[in-house]
């Protein structure tokens, strides 16, 4: 009886730890010298519609970045979507929420040193999605930044990211 309890406890402990481990993203093995652009958080200071926005993020030229599947994720005012809790940049008192997927490695993008990538924030609508804005990121090692997307005072989203070296060969 004692051995079965130990086995059960060991399996349960392993199941709790597995979702927290992060393997290298598939595209992270492309080449040495590339940098990782890690999305940290997206904060909804003010939203574009009453109630909720259904958000998704695109990388110009490469398609959907977040969530891993269309449609968007429902976000209310003062929600802070956390992509990587160790790098969260949520304001005090905000409603912190996980980005949605079980494994958040898709929030890591590759870029050549000093290379640029453009991310677009979109709001899903029944007829024609709304582009809430875009941001161009220059991949400089060690850079971390918070960028504000805003349109004519109708809404405000704050996006935080960091750039690190690619630890995978």
């Amino acid at each position: 009886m004692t051995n079965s309890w130990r086995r059960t406890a060991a399996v349960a402990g392993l199941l709790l730890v597995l979702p927290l481990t992060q393997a290298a993203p598939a595209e992270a093995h492309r080449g040495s010298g590339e940098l990782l652009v890690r999305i940290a958080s997206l904060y909804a200071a003010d939203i574009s519609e009453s109630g909720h926005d259904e958000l998704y993020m695109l990388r110009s030229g490469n398609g959907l970045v977040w969530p891993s599947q269309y449609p968007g994720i429902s976000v209310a005012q003062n929600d802070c979507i956390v992509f990587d809790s160790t790098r969260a940049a949520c304001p005090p008192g905000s409603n912190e929420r996980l980005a949605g997927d079980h494994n958040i490695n898709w929030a890591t993008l590759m870029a050549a040193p000093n290379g640029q990538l453009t991310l677009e924030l979109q709001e899903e609508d029944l007829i024609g999605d709304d582009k809430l804005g875009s941001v161009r990121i220059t991949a400089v090692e060690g850079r971390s930044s918070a960028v504000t997307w805003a349109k004519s005072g109708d809404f405000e989203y704050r996006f935080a990211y960091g750039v690190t070296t690619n630890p995978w060969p």
Side-chain angles (χ1 to χ4, degrees), residues 26 44 49 71 85 88 97 113 116 131 138 144 150 167:
E49 297 180 345
S85 61
R97 296 177 46 203
Q116 293 190 339
K131 179 179 175 182
T138 301
S144 61

Side-chain angles (χ1 to χ4, degrees), residues 8 11 85 93 96 105 108 114 126 148 155:
T8 303
V11 169
S85 61
E96 289 188 25
N105 283 325
T108 300
N114 297 312
L126 293 175
T148 299
F155 59 88

Side-chain angles (χ1 to χ4, degrees), residues 150-168:
K151 176 179 118 179
S152 307
D154 294 328
F155 59 88
E156 181 181 347
Y157 282 95
R158 296 181 197 149
F159 167 74
Y161 69 92
V163 181
T164 62
T165 57
N166 183 353
W168 302 287

Side-chain angles (χ1 to χ4, degrees), residues 56-66 70 109 117-122 133-135 149:
Y56 63 96
M57 198 178 309
L58 300 171
R59 179 176 179 177
S60 184
N62 282 2
L64 193 63
V65 169
W66 169 76
Y70 185 82
L109 307 169
L117 57 97
T118 301
L119 295 178
E120 292 181 3
L121 187 63
Q122 298 273 338
S134 63
V135 61
W149 274 306

Side-chain angles (χ1 to χ4, degrees), residues 7-111:
R7 285 185 197 143
T8 303
V11 169
L14 182 60
L15 291 175
L16 288 173
V17 171
L18 282 177
L20 301 177
T21 62
Q22 291 190 4
E27 75 173 61
H29 293 289
R30 286 198 185 153
S32 61
E34 289 187 312
L35 298 175
L36 300 178
V37 177
R38 291 180 162 277
I39 299 172
S41 66
L42 179 66
Y43 172 63
D46 196 6
I47 59 177
S48 70
E49 297 180 345
S50 62
H52 293 266
D53 280 350
E54 288 75 35
L55 298 180
Y56 63 96
M57 198 178 309
L58 300 171
R59 179 176 179 177
S60 184
N62 282 2
L64 193 63
V65 169
W66 169 76
S68 61
Q69 296 180 17
Y70 185 82
I73 291 179
S74 183
V75 176
Q77 187 173 356
N78 202 38
D79 279 354
C80 188
I81 307 301
V82 177
F83 291 85
D84 184 337
S85 61
T86 63
R87 288 181 268 294
C90 296
S94 61
N95 178 28
E96 289 188 25
R97 296 177 46 203
L98 293 178
D101 286 343
H102 182 68
N103 186 335
I104 60 173
N105 283 325
W106 41 262
T108 300
L109 307 169
M110 301 303 299

